[in-house]
Amino acid sequence: MLRVAVVGSGPSGVYTAQSLVQLDSEVLVDVLDRLPCPYGLVRYGVAPDHEKIKSLQNNLRTVLEHERVRFLGGVQIGPGGMPVERLRELYHAVVYCVGAATDRHLGIPGEDLPGSWSATQFVSWYSAHPDSVDDGFVRGARSAVVIGVGNVAVDVTRILARGAAELSPTDMPQAALSALAASRVSEVHMVGRRGPSQARFTTKELRELGGLPGTELTVDPAELELDPAYGDPSALPAVQRRNVEVLRGWAQRPAVDALRRIRLRFFLRPVELLADGGHVGAVRFERTAPDGAGGVTGTGQYEDIEAQLVLRSVGYRGVPLEGLPFDAASGTVPHLAGRVLRAGVVAPGEYVAGWIKRGPTGVIGTNRPCAKETVLSLLDDASVLVHKDLAGDPVAALRAEGIEPVLWAGWQAIERAEAALGASLGRSVVKLADWEALLAAARATGSQQAS
């Protein structure tokens, strides 16, 4: 009987577990996660006002409740936890689904000024990630600049512009809700260095920005017209064509009075963050122009946009996991159809899936075929892997190493505590936002007994 560890309980990890139990009628799968809560970016990356996408948790839950799948939360793999080499001793195979855990930087002067953050840090705060801290993102800010034109950029722009009444029904942690309710941010600039036909957001996400109560959205027709495809978008892929059509409609709308304003800007490249009293006070942009080869070139014309809050959303990168090979250029683990390669040679029993395998590309559903490819490779190798002798239940070995995993009953206890917290605040479910509260909830009912 094959025993497999899947490291990471986000979509790629859960889809890996699902493929394993669907394609092998006897395999036992442990899904390990550093956090005491499952679902990865579905819990900690999807915006709280996107209830339909967040409902994907119900599908992931079905997999994690399968009789041959076991969730083991609060298990750190690598430094400070279980070494990769030791983990390999406990299972016939290990599949690493650890995502892309850091953000790309702009690499410009002033990027480290107070008030300058990655969009992921902001998302982690309003999504109650236990590693995040309340560093006063919106405190004292009147104007915000979001650098990037992908879906994450749209998410943070929308959250900054939403009112407290719209966010209160979500599971946003109370501290973040209170801070956003008190926010004085009245203008949000979402800025891209290229044109609207090359923006990475989806049309559905884009349209949401145009329907926020009390918010005016403006687009500069002159900037749109710099895009060679703007005049005739018929040759563009469907999503980009629809994006251009939506933006064209907005550019023709008359100005209205509103509490807040979102300004969509294009063909502007950030070159410096400017300080004001030791804090970010503005972003200097250089006007760009199409270079005829799908990119842009600088024009030598500059514009400063006031901002006390700057959020960069320019992509993600994988980070090395101690004990695994890593390709720094691509931010991925070298592999062959999901099999980890060490010095170009397949490493028996080691596999990858998700962003750490292919880079930070695609949407949630892209993880399904990615996971299945890896699982097919693993099962092709199973006849050899299964001959390795294992030392019994890995949970016992974890406990012997001083690691007390949060089992599924512990996660259910966290869910009950979050429901109770919401009820006490007159809201629905409200997330627990720190490690102490999460672990206390998980252990409150004796949930650490083996299941």
Side-chain angles (χ1 to χ4, degrees):
M1 182 184 299
L2 194 67
R3 188 181 285 275
V4 179
V6 174
V7 181
S9 67
S12 63
V14 176
Y15 291 148
T16 297
Q18 183 179 47
S19 288
L20 281 165
V21 295
Q22 286 178 342
L23 298 174
D24 186 315
S25 61
E26 295 187 340
V27 65
L28 298 177
V29 184
D30 284 346
V31 179
L32 289 68
D33 203 291
R34 182 177 70 88
L35 299 174
C37 309
Y39 311 136
L41 283 179
V42 177
R43 176 175 168 90
Y44 290 118
V46 174
D49 59 341
H50 274 178
E51 289 298 326
K52 184 174 182 180
I53 302 176
K54 288 176 72 68
S55 68
L56 176 62
Q57 291 184 13
N58 296 327
N59 297 336
L60 302 182
R61 171 188 294 274
T62 300
V63 178
L64 293 174
E65 290 183 335
H66 190 281
E67 62 182 0
R68 288 184 284 118
V69 176
R70 182 168 56 176
F71 174 69
L72 303 177
V75 179
Q76 173 74 39
I77 304 300
M82 175 73 73
V84 165
E85 296 79 6
R86 175 62 176 141
L87 184 68
R88 278 284 295 113
E89 295 172 0
L90 303 178
Y91 295 89
H92 293 113
V94 179
V95 186
Y96 299 94
C97 306
V98 292
T102 191
D103 299 86
R104 293 184 182 276
H105 288 263
L106 299 170
I108 61 175
E111 186 171 8
D112 295 327
L113 281 168
S116 169
W117 308 92
S118 72
T120 299
Q121 290 172 302
F122 187 62
V123 170
S124 293
W125 170 66
Y126 69 60
S127 297
H129 195 293
D131 287 343
S132 94
V133 292
D134 181 2
D135 277 324
F137 291 96
V138 296
R139 192 178 303 129
R142 302 177 304 277
S143 176
V145 166
V146 178
I147 299 172
V149 284
N151 280 344
V152 174
V154 173
D155 280 348
V156 298
T157 296
R158 190 181 65 254
I159 293 297
L160 283 169
R162 276 210 186 278
E166 303 158 65
L167 294 174
S168 183
T170 73
D171 62 5
M172 180 179 286
Q174 187 64 33
L177 177 64
S178 298
L180 289 167
S183 167
R184 294 189 296 124
V185 174
S186 59
E187 195 159 60
V188 185
H189 305 258
M190 190 173 80
V191 188
R193 63 185 178 90
R194 296 193 291 182
S197 70
Q198 295 171 311
R200 302 296 296 272
F201 43 61
T202 58
T203 310
K204 180 179 182 296
E205 291 261 0
L206 177 64
R207 284 186 175 130
E208 286 184 90
L209 291 180
L212 300 178
T215 301
E216 180 193 28
L217 187 144
T218 66
V219 189
D220 185 348
E223 289 184 344
L224 299 181
E225 290 166 3
L226 292 172
D227 192 324
Y230 180 70
D232 180 12
S234 60
L236 293 173
V239 172
Q240 283 72 31
R241 184 178 69 252
R242 291 193 294 267
N243 287 345
V244 168
E245 291 167 352
V246 169
L247 291 166
R248 180 185 284 118
W250 286 346
Q252 298 169 353
R253 295 195 302 194
V256 297
D257 290 330
L259 295 172
R260 295 171 297 273
R261 181 172 289 105
I262 296 174
R263 298 184 184 274
L264 300 188
R265 305 294 306 275
F266 296 95
F267 292 109
L268 290 171
R269 176 170 61 199
V271 295
E272 185 177 2
L273 271 58
L274 306 177
D276 180 6
H279 191 280
V280 66
V283 184
R284 178 160 293 167
F285 290 92
E286 181 182 16
R287 170 66 64 193
T288 62
D291 63 5
V296 292
T297 185
T299 65
Q301 298 176 314
Y302 297 89
E303 175 183 348
D304 295 350
I305 299 178
E306 178 191 349
Q308 297 78 38
L309 171 64
V310 177
L311 300 172
R312 70 175 185 275
S313 180
V314 291
Y316 301 92
R317 276 190 61 80
V319 295
L321 180 61
E322 186 174 294
L324 280 183
F326 187 73
D327 179 357
S330 64
T332 62
V333 171
H335 71 92
L336 178 65
R339 297 178 176 94
V340 171
L341 296 175
R342 293 182 179 273
V345 179
V346 169
E350 294 183 303
Y351 303 85
V352 285
W355 278 2
I356 200 63
K357 171 187 173 185
R358 68 179 191 275
T361 60
V363 295
I364 290 175
T366 311
N367 290 294
R368 281 187 182 276
C370 174
K372 186 172 182 179
E373 178 191 54
T374 295
V375 167
L376 289 172
S377 294
L378 190 160
L379 294 180
D380 280 346
D381 303 338
S383 60
V384 174
L385 298 173
V386 76
H387 290 301
K388 182 171 78 172
D389 291 330
L390 302 181
D393 188 349
V395 168
L398 288 169
R399 288 174 173 154
E401 299 277 349
I403 300 170
E404 189 61 56
V406 174
L407 304 179
W408 190 250
W411 161 238
Q412 292 175 312
I414 290 172
E415 289 185 302
R416 290 193 296 272
E418 292 184 335
L421 175 60
S424 73
L425 296 169
R427 298 172 57 194
S428 55
V429 171
V430 173
K431 286 180 181 174
L432 299 174
D434 61 85
W435 280 96
E436 183 179 356
L438 287 166
L439 293 176
R443 293 166 179 157
T445 57
S447 61
Q448 298 309 292
Q449 298 303 312
S451 63

